[in-house]
Amino acid sequence: MKIVITGANGFVGAALCRYFYQQGHSILAVGRQAKSHPNLAAIAEYLSADITQSLPPFRADVCIHAAALASDTATYQDLHENNVTGTRQVLAAARFCEYFVQISSSSVYQFKNIPAKESSATLAANRSPYGKTKLLADNLVGEDIPAGQKRIILRPRAIYGIGDRVLLPRLLELIKRNIVFCPVSAQISTSLTHVDNIAYAINLFLRQASQPALQIYNVADAPVYNLRQCVLQLLSAVYQQELKVCSIPVSLLKLLTDLNKIVPFSAKLNPLVLNTLTQSAVLDISAIRENLGYQPRYYFENRYPQIAAWLHGVGGLNYYLNNLAQMPWELDEKFAVRTT
């Protein structure tokens, strides 16, 4: 099949390009940059385009929409332009595709003490501007579905894997002189989603025998993780040593966040970050298991060493942090895609 993948220069889009190329598909990669990274050019045709503007029709079997603006500091206008208007333009361009895949986000949920089900996402709930625009985009996907087209919305939580340039940099900021200043309490549970589990879910969708016009699923690893333990495991692997831990009380973190509202001193200290670090966030994945036969193959315990090995293989911590924009396509020989 020919597969269009938007956001091909980003972490998720790059991983999906590699995955489906290795599955034997033809890839049309869409990105905002004028030129593609050489590793992308080796496996895909490239279309430089701004998805917030009108796009030419995609002549392909599948469109995977992975492009988005994921930011806790961007204005609502920018988020809406990229995530809502952008989705509308991609849907229009994909009207002749047989399949449409929307990579959404768990930010559409307001997490409580029970795992979030797909039906619990409503615009009436109080959520972040990013989460609101992602849910508005999801709503667009559910409208005006062309005859014969099948659509799926996938909602992952805290995507991780090689090529990540969002989650890992935030975790690295917690370290000062080999001490982890950890604001995550030992009681916080979370779902995590390895990026290849997203690709696996899409594969199941494309092979599904009987399909309704629209399906919406949470997608995550099978285990529910202890967030604090995962953070410390990954950082210790990256630094290749056991790190000392200095716990930051939740009460202090809340106080600093409240002060930051009055006298801003850090763009990275906001209610969204606070909720991520202090509230459990678990996805219910029973629907995707039952309807797609989803049995996630990747787990944090056997994948975080791979992330650390990749980071050191591409040049180490300083190189990684100084070249974040190209990290989704920076692969050493061990992880490179074979093109012959």
Side-chain angles (χ1 to χ4, degrees):
M1 289 191 292
K2 184 168 185 178
I3 302 178
V4 178
I5 300 176
T6 69
N9 296 306
F11 166 43
V12 176
L16 294 177
C17 286
R18 291 191 292 269
Y19 180 95
F20 286 103
Y21 172 81
Q22 291 172 321
Q23 293 283 315
H25 300 289
S26 173
I27 308 298
L28 171 60
V30 181
R32 189 187 294 267
Q33 285 85 341
K35 294 183 179 180
S36 64
H37 190 283
N39 288 337
L40 171 55
I43 66 170
E45 179 186 354
Y46 184 70
L47 172 63
S48 175
D50 180 353
I51 65 165
T52 68
Q53 306 299 316
S54 180
L55 300 166
F58 298 145
R59 303 297 177 180
D61 304 290
V62 183
C63 177
I64 303 174
H65 181 35
L69 176 60
S71 171
D72 45 28
T73 58
T75 66
Y76 181 79
Q77 181 179 354
D78 286 342
L79 290 165
H80 192 280
E81 182 73 7
N82 283 272
N83 299 334
V84 183
T85 302
T87 297
R88 182 180 289 109
Q89 298 289 10
V90 173
L91 283 167
R95 60 189 176 274
F96 300 118
C97 297
E98 185 177 357
Y99 302 98
F100 184 90
V101 180
Q102 165 85 344
I103 306 300
S104 184
S105 169
S106 64
S107 293
V108 301
Y109 301 119
Q110 188 174 32
F111 284 99
K112 299 179 180 178
N113 294 328
I114 59 174
K117 292 181 176 290
E118 291 82 355
S119 58
S120 65
T122 66
L123 288 171
N126 181 22
R127 63 178 49 76
S128 68
Y130 169 68
K132 182 177 180 180
T133 59
K134 289 300 289 185
L135 185 52
L136 288 170
D138 288 358
N139 290 345
L140 285 177
V141 176
E143 299 173 356
D144 302 323
I145 302 175
Q149 187 178 78
K150 306 301 181 184
R151 294 180 178 179
I152 190 171
I153 297 169
L154 295 174
R155 293 172 175 164
R157 171 71 185 171
I159 308 170
Y160 68 99
I162 62 169
D164 169 33
R165 63 181 183 189
V166 177
L167 188 60
L168 183 56
R170 291 183 178 184
L171 297 182
L172 292 173
E173 290 179 352
L174 301 176
I175 298 182
K176 306 295 180 185
R177 297 182 180 179
N178 293 335
I179 299 175
V180 183
F181 290 87
C182 189
V184 182
S185 74
Q187 290 75 41
I188 302 302
S189 299
T190 189
S191 294
L192 300 175
T193 308
H194 189 276
V195 68
D196 285 346
N197 280 332
I198 298 175
Y200 163 59
I202 296 172
N203 227 353
L204 290 174
F205 165 65
L206 296 178
R207 296 178 179 182
Q208 191 179 20
S210 178
Q211 299 168 310
L214 176 68
Q215 300 175 77
I216 304 174
Y217 297 119
N218 294 331
V219 57
D221 301 356
V224 173
Y225 298 106
N226 180 286
L227 181 57
R228 180 186 177 94
Q229 181 179 339
C230 291
V231 169
L232 297 180
Q233 283 179 318
L234 178 56
L235 292 178
S236 293
V238 167
Y239 276 78
Q240 300 178 322
Q241 61 177 303
E242 201 69 29
L243 298 168
K244 295 180 180 180
V245 181
C246 177
S247 297
I248 300 175
V250 172
S251 57
L252 176 59
L253 195 62
K254 289 181 177 178
L255 175 61
L256 291 173
T257 303
D258 289 340
L259 289 174
N260 195 46
K261 293 179 185 177
I262 302 170
V263 183
F265 54 86
S266 174
K268 298 175 182 177
L269 192 60
N270 55 60
L272 177 59
V273 173
L274 177 66
N275 290 341
T276 300
L277 297 174
T278 61
Q279 292 184 359
S280 292
V282 178
L283 294 176
D284 183 328
I285 60 171
S286 58
I288 193 171
R289 284 180 179 276
E290 180 178 351
N291 297 325
L292 285 188
Y294 176 75
Q295 298 178 11
R297 304 173 179 181
Y298 302 99
Y299 302 85
F300 184 80
E301 285 78 3
N302 59 21
R303 281 296 175 264
Y304 79 82
Q306 183 189 58
I307 298 171
W310 160 74
L311 190 150
H312 291 288
V314 298
L317 276 173
N318 288 335
Y319 181 82
Y320 168 78
L321 291 172
N322 290 327
N323 296 275
L324 285 176
Q326 65 193 48
M327 281 302 112
W329 284 103
E330 282 287 305
L331 303 169
D332 66 6
E333 185 175 345
K334 183 177 180 181
F335 300 108
V337 178
R338 302 290 180 258
T339 58
T340 57

